[in-house]
Amino acid sequence: MAFAFIKHDTKIDFIGKRHIAYAISILLLLVGLGSALWGNGLRMGIDFAGGVIVQVQFAQPVEDEVLKKSLDVPELPGISTQRFGEGTRDYLLRFSSAENTDAAALRTNVLTALAKAFPGNDVEIQRLEMVGPKVGDDLANKALGALYYATLLIAVYISGRFEQRWMIAALMAAVLGSAMYVMGMAAVLWGGMYLAGLTGLSMGWLVLVALGITLVVCFVLKLNFALGALVGLIHDIFITVGLLSLMGVEIDLNVMAALLTLVGYSLNDTIIVYDRIRENLQNQPEDNPAPLADIINLSVNQTLGRTIMTSATTLIAALSLT
């Protein structure tokens, strides 16, 4: 007998319990939104906000709190410390810095501050990385733009595969993608300033507005499968980003890669469920087809074991990297 994590005859009424899921999702979204706007906010890492990251190693162990308090000096503005590796000798130091500060001056400032704070405890700088504020802003804007363009391509793929509406979906993506590109080029021509004279954050709002328009267009054009997939993707990303804000996690390139991985797994699971829904729809008798809610419930139950096992194994792999 083959091993089955979930019984094949499972009959959970997902559609009947959808209002509970709506309530939980809305609560998580509101908590995350509140944290991002009025709470901890989004802690942008050096990759996006600009600054300096220094990896140091002490000859003798140093406590976290002592290190952070000792380095709260004007030469190292906005300093934050993070233990690196095993023990209490290796640390990552992050702080903001003027864009025209060279690496040699930064190295001198760090060594001077550490020597003053911990006399007799030799320290070695093993790595020093600098990202200017303009470079960070540009990288953040490109990442947001890439996420939006990927969303458009997803909408085209879903609509074409499950509704055979390749042309209208491609036309929608071309128009919306071109509009986003033109607005981005206008920002460059206007000296790097975005609409309404805002910088950095305005790109985020621009992408949010573009996503909203995309959802409305999908609804008007009745691209139902694409609309469902996009809503699911946005739901997963927004809740994850909200939890990152609530937990005070710094958003850097690694986190962005994790979010893209989340998009991939979410989309993969959506396509699996969609495939089963399509198969069950095709197997319905023409004279007496089952209600759509029953077909959706059947399809989700049939793919439930795969969904849980895929999520669990991915979580275990992710935990091993922490």
Side-chain angles (χ1 to χ4, degrees):
M1 180 181 296
F3 172 77
F5 184 75
I6 299 294
K7 295 182 179 180
H8 296 292
D9 58 349
T10 302
K11 296 181 180 179
I12 302 175
D13 186 12
F14 289 100
I15 298 299
K17 297 179 174 61
R18 65 187 184 278
H19 298 293
I20 299 176
Y22 293 160
I24 295 174
S25 293
I26 292 173
L27 177 62
L28 291 175
L29 287 171
L30 291 177
V31 170
L33 181 64
S35 176
L37 296 180
W38 302 288
N40 298 331
L42 295 178
R43 290 186 55 197
M44 306 305 293
I46 290 176
D47 296 323
F48 299 123
V52 181
I53 180 170
V54 184
Q55 179 183 339
V56 298
Q57 183 180 71
F58 290 90
Q60 303 172 12
V62 176
E63 295 298 328
D64 297 18
E65 291 300 322
V66 176
L67 177 62
K68 186 172 183 179
K69 292 179 180 179
S70 301
L71 295 181
D72 188 12
V73 294
E75 293 81 4
L76 307 176
I79 187 74
S80 65
T81 63
Q82 178 184 350
R83 187 182 300 177
F84 183 79
E86 300 294 333
T88 56
R89 296 175 55 234
D90 298 277
Y91 284 90
L92 290 179
L93 311 179
R94 293 181 174 88
F95 56 92
S96 58
S97 175
E99 188 174 7
N100 57 358
T101 304
D102 58 24
L106 285 172
R107 182 180 293 270
T108 300
N109 290 340
V110 171
L111 289 176
T112 301
L114 291 173
K116 183 178 179 180
F118 301 96
N121 191 354
D122 294 336
V123 61
E124 177 186 355
I125 294 181
Q126 298 184 325
R127 177 165 59 103
L128 190 149
E129 297 178 2
M130 299 173 55
V131 178
K134 291 183 179 179
V135 176
D137 285 342
D138 184 60
L139 191 59
N141 294 334
K142 288 182 177 179
L144 290 172
L147 283 175
Y148 179 66
Y149 293 133
T151 300
L152 290 179
L153 293 177
I154 289 170
V156 174
Y157 174 75
I158 295 292
S159 298
R161 176 169 178 178
F162 295 101
E163 298 177 287
Q164 302 304 316
R165 304 184 68 182
W166 289 101
M167 292 301 297
I168 191 169
L171 180 61
M172 175 197 71
V175 172
L176 293 177
S178 298
M180 175 67 76
Y181 179 77
V182 170
M183 296 179 74
M185 291 298 296
V188 174
L189 294 176
W190 294 340
M193 302 296 288
Y194 285 92
L195 299 180
L198 299 176
T199 60
L201 183 62
S202 66
M203 184 61 177
W205 288 109
L206 180 61
V207 170
L208 288 177
V209 172
L211 283 175
I213 294 174
T214 304
L215 294 178
V216 172
V217 172
C218 287
F219 177 78
V220 172
L221 297 178
K222 298 186 183 303
L223 302 176
N224 297 325
F225 281 86
L227 179 62
L230 293 183
V231 169
L233 287 178
I234 294 172
H235 167 272
D236 295 345
I237 293 297
F238 276 31
I239 287 182
T240 303
V241 172
L243 291 176
L244 292 176
S245 171
L246 197 64
M247 298 168 61
V249 176
E250 206 172 65
I251 298 179
D252 54 15
L253 288 178
N254 292 330
V255 172
M256 187 61 66
L259 291 176
L260 291 175
T261 302
L262 175 64
V263 168
Y265 275 101
S266 177
L267 179 62
N268 176 69
D269 191 60
T270 299
I271 291 175
I272 295 299
V273 176
Y274 277 0
D275 264 330
R276 190 55 57 91
I277 291 176
R278 181 176 59 178
E279 292 174 2
N280 290 329
L281 283 172
Q282 294 174 346
N283 293 331
Q284 295 299 309
E286 295 183 3
D287 55 341
N288 188 26
L292 181 59
D294 293 344
I295 295 176
I296 295 176
N297 271 332
L298 175 63
S299 303
V300 175
N301 278 287
Q302 289 175 340
T303 58
L304 185 59
R306 183 189 183 281
T307 298
I308 294 177
M309 291 300 295
T310 301
S311 301
T313 53
T314 304
L315 179 61
I316 292 173
L319 289 176
S320 66
L321 300 175
T322 58

